[in-house]
Amino acid sequence: MKISDILSKNKINLSFEVFPPKSDVALGAVMDTVRDIADLKPAFCSVTYGANGGTSENTVKIASYIENELNVCALAHLTCVLSSKEDIDEKLQKLKENNIDNILALRGDIIDEELFKNKKDLIHSSELMSYIKDDYDFCIGGACYPEGHLESKSKDEDVEYLKLKQDLGADFLTTQMFFDNNIFYNFMYKLRNKNVNIPIIPGIMPVTNVTQLKRIRQLSGAQIPPKFLSIADKFKDDVPAMKQAGIIYACNQIIDLISNGINHIHVYTMNDSDIAKRISDNLSYILEK
């Protein structure tokens, strides 16, 4: 099933993200995780793509397992940062062969500046979207950044780029994590004001240990509200309490989003099926609406 069809239904649901292991040795553990997540009946499950495509083979394996054996809609991430069009065609063909209908098209992290500087084609995610849309029948998602992409000159420029993604074939956008829903609502107002009308799926990250906060700030620049900083300071030395508090904070975000008309929420699980289960359990009656 295509995610665009799922999003067209007036139904409250969750989706979850997992990431492939760096080696085949740990693949079994991830398969166990996605099997547990599939039992929660998510709208879909996304599978990320390693830096430089280092785990691309496992992305396909896991997405295929989700789609074909667990009967859950799979969303495979695909980056173009160092891939030629021939590389992309080969990967798209593999996804087709495995009955994957949905792709999250991304540029990817720039690991080697020199190689990226000399790249001739498919430099941006919008170019990847356009390339896929021209020759293939995938449902295409893209990424968006409520607090602005770290490389953008301004938030207005960022919104214009998202409009370009829509015009070049994006069927939906999923946000980077955020911890203050007002940031998301202001972002949505700017998008709709610029006629970016495709579905926007908010991405929620349950922060379950304090060490995640430093990495989140470094990689995403996401603001951490004082309310959550107080929670982290209170429970930083109590692992079970911090995990519970982080899950409750995420659930409160999700409830507020649903109360304001947002039906589809994507949860970054960090490959912890217990997080997915506890969130689903906390929202069990809400998700039945």
Side-chain angles (χ1 to χ4, degrees):
M1 178 180 284
K2 291 187 175 180
I3 290 172
S4 54
D5 294 329
I6 295 171
L7 298 178
S8 68
K9 297 176 182 177
N10 187 28
K11 185 179 184 304
I12 296 169
N13 54 46
L14 299 179
S15 56
F16 298 105
E17 179 176 285
V18 296
F19 56 85
K22 293 180 179 178
S23 70
D24 287 341
V25 176
L27 190 57
V30 178
M31 295 303 198
D32 290 341
T33 295
V34 297
R35 188 167 57 248
D36 291 341
I37 288 175
D39 287 341
L40 304 174
K41 298 183 173 17
F44 62 89
C45 189
S46 72
V47 188
T48 68
Y49 197 84
N52 282 344
T55 61
S56 61
E57 290 296 325
N58 284 337
T59 297
V60 177
K61 288 178 185 176
I62 296 168
S64 178
Y65 179 63
I66 292 167
E67 185 78 38
N68 300 307
E69 298 189 44
L70 300 178
N71 297 314
V72 170
C73 181
L75 170 65
H77 291 212
L78 179 65
T79 70
C80 63
V81 63
L82 288 178
S83 294
S84 65
K85 288 181 178 179
E86 291 75 17
D87 294 332
I88 294 295
D89 282 327
E90 182 180 338
K91 287 161 185 170
L92 292 172
Q93 199 59 43
K94 283 185 180 178
L95 291 170
K96 280 182 65 178
E97 290 167 1
N98 283 275
N99 303 315
I100 308 300
D101 290 326
N102 306 285
I103 292 173
L104 192 71
L106 307 164
R107 184 196 69 186
D109 297 329
I110 300 173
I111 306 299
D112 189 319
E113 291 276 359
E114 193 63 30
L115 282 174
F116 183 72
K117 191 163 55 177
N118 294 322
K119 194 171 191 294
K120 303 299 182 187
D121 58 8
L122 301 182
I123 296 171
H124 302 291
S125 61
S126 56
E127 295 173 2
L128 176 60
M129 291 173 180
S130 179
Y131 184 73
I132 297 171
K133 211 70 172 179
D134 283 346
D135 294 312
Y136 297 88
D137 185 32
F138 289 99
C139 174
I140 302 173
C144 59
Y145 305 84
E147 297 173 69
H149 193 285
L150 289 175
E151 296 176 23
S152 291
K153 295 176 183 176
S154 69
K155 290 183 180 180
D156 288 338
E157 179 188 75
D158 208 35
V159 171
E160 290 296 334
Y161 187 56
L162 296 178
K163 177 67 165 60
L164 177 64
K165 287 185 179 182
Q166 174 182 271
D167 294 345
L168 292 177
D171 296 294
F172 66 94
L173 298 172
T174 301
T175 78
Q176 187 183 60
M177 69 192 80
F178 58 89
F179 301 93
D180 179 347
N181 285 4
N182 287 325
I183 290 172
F184 175 76
Y185 298 137
N186 290 334
F187 176 65
M188 288 294 293
Y189 175 80
K190 288 181 179 179
L191 290 184
R192 298 317 188 208
N193 195 44
K194 292 292 185 178
N195 294 315
V196 180
N197 298 314
I198 55 177
I200 310 295
I201 305 175
I204 299 298
M205 164 76 88
V207 177
T208 57
N209 67 74
V210 176
T211 58
Q212 289 175 288
L213 289 178
K214 184 177 180 181
R215 185 165 173 78
I216 286 168
R217 285 171 171 149
Q218 287 176 338
L219 295 180
S220 71
Q223 296 179 35
I224 311 297
K227 182 195 302 186
F228 190 77
L229 289 175
S230 296
I231 292 170
D233 186 58
K234 174 69 176 177
F235 301 114
K236 62 186 176 185
D237 297 321
D238 188 333
V239 174
M242 184 64 224
K243 184 172 184 178
Q244 184 177 53
I247 288 171
I248 291 170
Y249 188 92
C251 286
N252 286 335
Q253 277 193 272
I254 293 169
I255 290 168
D256 180 73
L257 290 165
I258 291 171
S259 299
N260 283 280
I262 307 299
N263 283 346
H264 313 279
I265 292 99
H266 193 57
V267 179
Y268 300 110
T269 68
M270 300 302 293
N271 283 15
D272 187 338
S273 59
D274 181 56
I275 289 174
K277 185 176 188 312
R278 287 164 70 173
I279 287 176
S280 295
D281 287 347
N282 287 345
L283 302 172
S284 56
Y285 291 109
I286 292 170
L287 295 174
E288 289 178 0
K289 301 300 181 185

